[in-house]
Amino acid sequence: MVKAVAGIVGNSYALVADAIESASDIITSLILLVGFHFASKAPDEDHPYGHGKAEPLAAIVVGLSLLAIAGLIIGESVQNIRTPHALPKSFTLWVLLGVIITKELLFRFVKGVADETESHAVKADAWHHRSDAVSSAAAFIGISIALFLGEGYESADDWAALVAALIITINGFRILKPALDEVMDAAPPAEIVKQVEDIALQINGVMAIEKCFVRKMGFEYFVDIHIEVNGQLTVFEGHEIAHRVKEAVMAADKRIFDVLTHVEPSPAQ
């Protein structure tokens, strides 16, 4: 609200555009809260694998909202560049300076939480704050150029808004890709798969790993692993080995919610 009023009174569309981007923080934060609420719900009869997909879906909505906001700012910026207008007021620089510092501090804090929780939704919120800081910095530069060079350079403010919109667009795609990957069950980092395989191979009776798939759902991982055992074992003995693999893998990493272990007869006997 402060940025919007300052932008209108101070005749700076770059600041108004920045205010539009900031206003979206409220909406996206509400979306993230709803996503977290559903993602944290326990599995039920209709959702036996839990509700973790709600978390990346929330991140997708945030990413799409950034792209929509960027499109709006780009359209208005181009129109203002083609339309002569007065120079922005100097007081708008102080407003932007305070916003830049605040948003960058928020980015660093939220990014730390995102790295700790490995949440795409929280990471999306962090980069939303960074987008706000960068767009404010672009507005600061544009207004400074317009004020320093004076008449004839009024559009520097609008070019700054255009640059900020392009940066917001990049961040929107940066948020969308990992969230879409998770929704489509893309493979997680290779070290997680290797960790699971190494643990399984340490279990007595496991002769080899035929294949191992890991997918992320919200804050948790689901493992589907095929182990090879002596084909002469009884069903009961094979089941016991599979159960020990599951227990060991889940005990080693609390992020792993479930392990589905398939038992195959080893060809090397």
Side-chain angles (χ1 to χ4, degrees):
M1 179 62 72
V2 173
K3 285 196 291 186
V5 173
I8 294 171
V9 175
N11 196 38
S12 169
Y13 182 67
L15 190 51
V16 172
D18 198 30
I20 293 173
E21 201 276 333
S22 294
S24 69
D25 284 347
I26 299 174
I27 298 174
T28 54
S29 293
L30 289 174
I31 293 170
L32 292 176
L33 284 174
V34 173
F36 287 142
H37 171 71
F38 282 102
S40 62
K41 292 177 66 176
D44 54 36
E45 185 176 347
D46 294 328
H47 305 86
Y49 290 99
H51 302 76
K53 293 288 188 183
E55 192 263 344
L57 285 174
I60 290 173
V61 173
V62 171
L64 290 175
S65 70
L66 284 178
L67 295 181
I69 291 165
L72 174 64
I73 294 174
I74 288 172
E76 289 296 321
S77 297
V78 171
Q79 181 178 346
N80 287 342
I81 288 172
R82 299 171 61 183
T83 305
H85 55 79
L87 287 167
K89 305 297 183 182
S90 59
F91 73 83
T92 56
L93 292 175
W94 293 104
V95 175
L96 285 168
L97 187 60
V99 170
I100 293 169
I101 295 173
T102 301
K103 284 296 183 177
E104 183 60 24
L105 291 174
L106 281 172
F107 164 76
R108 293 174 183 272
F109 172 75
V110 179
K111 181 66 163 52
V113 175
D115 290 340
E116 183 177 343
T117 61
E118 296 186 357
S119 167
H120 291 307
V122 177
K123 187 175 294 185
D125 197 35
W127 280 103
H128 205 159
H129 288 305
R130 169 57 67 82
S131 294
D132 208 357
V134 171
S135 61
S136 295
F140 185 92
I141 294 172
I143 294 172
S144 297
I145 292 173
L147 291 174
F148 182 75
L149 296 179
E151 188 175 347
Y153 289 87
E154 296 87 351
S155 63
D157 172 66
D158 304 308
W159 280 105
L162 186 60
V163 171
L166 293 176
I167 295 171
I168 292 170
T169 300
I170 292 172
N171 283 333
F173 281 113
R174 184 173 184 173
I175 290 168
L176 276 175
K177 185 182 184 305
L180 287 172
D181 283 345
E182 183 173 331
V183 168
M184 298 179 69
D185 291 332
E191 57 266 22
I192 296 177
V193 177
K194 187 177 185 306
Q195 172 187 307
V196 171
E197 292 179 341
D198 289 344
I199 293 170
L201 286 170
Q202 293 175 13
I203 303 302
N204 186 35
V206 176
M207 303 179 68
I209 304 298
E210 184 183 61
K211 54 188 172 183
C212 180
F213 302 125
V214 181
R215 61 191 175 99
K216 187 173 184 290
M217 186 182 293
F219 306 108
E220 299 157 336
Y221 289 93
F222 289 76
V223 176
D224 185 354
I225 186 170
H226 293 227
I227 61 173
E228 294 183 3
V229 303
N230 188 327
Q232 302 303 314
L233 295 177
T234 65
V235 174
F236 179 81
E237 291 170 328
H239 172 78
E240 284 297 304
I241 294 173
H243 193 68
R244 290 199 297 270
V245 169
K246 176 177 181 177
E247 288 183 335
V249 171
M250 293 181 66
D253 193 332
K254 299 304 181 184
R255 297 174 300 174
I256 296 178
F257 181 79
D258 193 21
V259 179
L260 182 60
T261 310
H262 300 262
V263 179
E264 304 284 351
S266 174
Q269 294 178 18

